[in-house]
Amino acid sequence: MPVGGGPEGIALTLRYRSEAPEAEGPLTLGQDNMIRCLRHDEPSHMNKQATWTVPPGAELPACLHALRTLAERHPALRTVFPGPADRQPERQRVRAEGEFTVRVLPLAAGEDPAARAEAYCWEGRRRAFDLAEEFPLRFALLTRDGAPVLLAVVICHAQLDGVATGLLFQEWLTLAVGGTLPAPAAPTPVEVAEQEQSSSGQRRTKAALRHWEHILADRPTSVFADDRIGPNDTRLPTLGVRSTAGAAALERAAARTGVSTSAVLLACYAVLTAHRAGHPTVVMAALSANRHRPGLAEHVGTLAQDALLVLDTDCPDLDTLIGRAQAQALSGYWHATFDAERIWQLIEDVAVRRGARFARHVVVNDLSGTVPPDVAAARPLPPAEPDLAWYPVEPTPTRLMLNIWRTAGCLEFTLHTHPDVLDREETELFALALLRLLDLAGTRTVTLGPAGEIAALSGLPVGRREKGRWQRVGSNWVDLDAVADLLRTALPAARDIEVTFEGGELTAVLATGTDPLTPEQAHAAVMAALPGHDTAMAPQRYVLPTGTGTGRP
């Protein structure tokens, strides 16, 4: 029934009732992970959005019935997480009945539906969902002369990830014109949680912990460490790229090398990132990484957890790296189902031991499987080859992120870039270099290494370490001057600070005035101040005034 009106249309409240009884169980690992992220990050970053086309001939009553049917078909849409908003919930509860709101927005004459949908979604993304009560989708059905033309959707990531949203969209296209669907066959979120709690599920999570520890223990904690790197700003500009030639080149490269298109893109992205970083080893997080588990391809829920990948680009040619990328991706994806609390504790424990905390500098997110092929094919072709377009800044807590939206027919991707890593001109160079690299990889091998082709092909700047006192400490590049600045921040009473690197050991010599500290106390203070100091790390040895301590923390 209508509950509001005016220039912003009316809000219709739809009630649903499922034949399935109420259910309750522990959180899935994906739900637990995403709720932790939702409680930590800005709503506009964690909430997602989608624009669903309205199939021809679909009328308003059928569209509303389709949305009600989706709620009744899928337990994830009826799931809430009881408990106070300031605490991590422990249980999920599936309702048998409830209600949600659909806002019906009439378009003015000549008004662009896509722009109106974008404005609605952006406003909706900025408001956090009430996880204990709220339906996980916010709908706005845009109409012209009473006929539906577009559906704007804001999505809570605690219940749905990108693939699940794509599955719902495909069902919407059928239901909105009165079609019928078979009953869902994939396990429900409660059933997924039960499997994860089983002995086999526990073995998988333990294996994931070992995989993460192996990488975190000795690989670079910061991919980008050079003279340009400063404090991290999480609001990054976004470059959108579309290229039909890029899609054709990607297909040729995958066919020539005998691997997936995803592995080809991953390798090209990694080698350009390594070139810019001035470091051959790239540690990256891959999102949307864990739908490989048997029976979960059609799961409507949230499985989103990071896969941690490491790619060593110090190989003779790109073909070799593409093979490495395929193997590393499979390993990372297999180990992308984990207990988030234990992973974060592992990250913290390793950080204290190493004196350097893992920085999520590089991210890849392949969402090309979330849009149905027929919908992707209906998108207009790019007006230029390639087509590059800048979008407003978005909160993105990383330094470099590649989102892959489409690979077949037209390659579509976006790059989120921190200005300290790539300014706008350099971001465009990176995108064009990626397309050129794909074109070459489709016809022949590309040489890598110091005498290889990447520098000339890309035109990208290389990370320079000239302004400070740079040293390789383990696998990390560290500026000793930045370490001294870190010590001054963490220990404001300290004076006569001297930082050296000799015999493979990073040492800090300092006096602490009238407030003596032990090495353990000094290290704890430095670790607390470390976030944001990506070119520094905590000393491995502290030399303090006589009587307070000399040694490792």
Side-chain angles (χ1 to χ4, degrees):
M1 66 176 187
V3 296
E8 291 303 312
I10 61 172
L12 303 178
T13 299
L14 303 186
R15 290 202 60 82
Y16 63 81
R17 182 188 296 271
S18 171
E19 295 180 0
E22 289 195 357
E24 187 169 332
L27 303 184
T28 68
L29 296 172
Q31 289 170 340
D32 177 73
N33 182 59
M34 292 314 307
I35 293 172
R36 290 176 188 276
C37 295
L38 285 165
R39 294 179 60 232
H40 179 268
D41 295 340
E42 293 182 41
S44 60
H45 170 60
M46 292 308 305
N47 294 334
K48 303 304 175 185
Q49 69 182 68
T51 303
W52 293 358
T53 55
V54 174
E59 298 182 352
L60 180 60
C63 288
L64 298 177
H65 180 70
L67 297 179
R68 179 186 291 109
T69 302
L70 289 177
E72 293 171 345
R73 281 174 57 82
H74 297 293
L77 301 185
R78 307 193 306 276
T79 296
V80 293
F81 306 98
D86 61 346
R87 295 182 187 176
Q88 181 73 7
E90 298 180 353
R91 308 282 289 177
Q92 58 173 311
R93 180 177 299 156
V94 185
R95 291 170 166 166
E97 58 182 293
E99 63 184 34
F100 61 94
T101 299
V102 179
R103 185 165 291 278
V104 180
L105 302 178
L107 293 165
E111 185 177 8
D112 180 11
R116 183 72 178 275
E118 177 69 24
Y120 170 84
C121 288
W122 175 243
E123 182 60 31
R125 280 174 55 189
R126 295 166 62 186
R127 292 184 288 112
F129 281 82
D130 181 348
L131 299 180
E133 292 292 338
E134 192 172 351
F135 192 76
L137 297 173
R138 294 170 179 157
F139 295 115
L141 191 58
L142 280 59
T143 63
R144 194 181 300 280
D145 299 326
V149 296
L150 204 61
L151 182 66
V153 189
V154 179
I155 305 124
C156 181
H157 218 332
Q159 288 97 330
L160 297 165
D161 58 19
V163 175
T165 305
L167 293 171
L168 291 180
F169 173 48
Q170 294 179 62
E171 293 191 355
W172 150 261
L173 293 174
T174 299
L175 295 171
V177 290
T180 58
L181 296 167
T188 68
V190 169
E191 291 168 340
V192 169
E194 291 172 350
Q195 192 282 324
E196 291 171 343
Q197 296 289 327
S198 70
S199 57
S200 62
Q202 292 294 310
R203 286 194 297 270
R204 180 186 290 272
T205 58
K206 290 177 182 177
L209 203 66
R210 292 193 297 271
H211 170 85
W212 278 68
E213 184 169 21
H214 176 72
I215 295 175
L216 294 172
D218 62 5
R219 297 306 183 119
T221 54
S222 296
V223 173
F224 298 106
D226 59 51
D227 295 343
R228 287 175 53 169
I229 302 301
N232 196 11
D233 180 356
T234 61
R235 296 185 61 81
L236 307 187
T238 304
L239 175 67
V241 181
R242 296 194 296 156
S243 171
T244 54
L250 177 59
E251 289 292 340
R252 290 195 303 270
R256 190 183 68 79
T257 57
V259 301
S260 66
T261 55
S262 178
V264 174
L265 274 170
L266 185 64
C268 294
Y269 177 54
V271 77
L272 292 173
T273 300
H275 173 74
R276 163 62 189 89
H279 197 301
T281 302
V282 178
V283 178
M284 71 174 76
L287 311 186
S288 304
N290 49 10
R291 283 193 173 257
H292 64 280
R293 292 159 59 189
L296 293 184
E298 303 296 316
H299 171 70
V300 174
T302 188
L303 298 173
Q305 293 185 282
D306 288 3
L308 190 62
L309 314 180
V310 58
L311 275 175
D312 291 313
T313 65
D314 56 344
C315 48
D317 54 58
L318 184 61
D319 286 7
T320 303
L321 183 61
I322 289 172
R324 286 185 184 179
Q326 176 116 322
Q328 287 296 318
L330 289 174
S331 177
Y333 297 164
W334 183 256
H335 296 104
T337 301
F338 50 77
D339 183 325
E341 184 176 13
R342 295 183 67 184
I343 286 290
W344 280 110
Q345 187 59 55
L346 172 66
I347 291 172
E348 183 62 26
D349 291 345
V350 172
V352 172
R353 291 201 304 267
R354 292 188 66 180
R357 183 173 281 104
F358 168 61
R360 198 165 171 260
H361 274 187
V362 182
V363 177
V364 60
N365 192 17
D366 189 349
L367 295 162
S368 58
T370 66
V371 180
D374 55 337
V375 174
R379 286 173 54 84
L381 293 176
E385 182 56 53
D387 178 45
L388 275 62
W390 283 98
Y391 300 105
V393 297
E394 286 196 30
T396 310
T398 186
R399 295 276 182 164
L400 175 63
M401 182 172 184
L402 170 67
N403 283 311
I404 304 165
W405 301 101
R406 180 183 173 190
T407 58
C410 181
L411 177 61
E412 298 185 22
F413 62 87
T414 50
L415 285 168
H416 300 271
T417 55
H418 192 286
D420 288 357
V421 172
L422 298 168
D423 62 24
R424 292 202 173 208
E425 180 180 355
E426 292 163 349
T427 300
E428 294 185 2
L429 284 176
F430 190 101
L432 295 173
L434 183 59
L435 295 174
R436 283 196 292 270
L437 199 52
L438 290 174
D439 186 50
L440 289 177
T443 57
R444 63 173 176 84
T445 189
V446 177
T447 58
L448 303 181
E453 303 174 64
I454 298 301
L457 177 147
S458 70
L460 290 168
V462 180
R464 296 186 181 277
R465 292 174 272 270
E466 298 174 348
K467 294 181 180 178
R469 294 187 294 144
W470 290 93
Q471 295 285 344
R472 272 288 292 272
V473 182
S475 59
N476 283 354
W477 277 105
V478 175
D479 177 9
L480 303 190
D481 291 340
V483 176
D485 289 340
L486 170 63
L487 290 168
R488 294 185 189 97
T489 300
L491 305 168
R495 47 192 173 79
D496 301 327
I497 295 174
E498 181 183 358
V499 178
T500 61
F501 182 68
E502 296 177 356
E505 189 170 60
L506 184 63
T507 300
V509 181
L510 63 156
T512 54
T514 59
D515 185 20
L517 293 174
T518 65
E520 291 78 12
Q521 291 169 328
H523 191 65
V526 172
M527 289 303 300
L530 184 60
H533 296 264
D534 291 350
T535 61
M537 65 183 292
Q540 297 159 316
R541 183 168 178 267
Y542 295 82
V543 179
L544 299 167
T546 303
T548 58
T550 299
R552 294 174 177 271

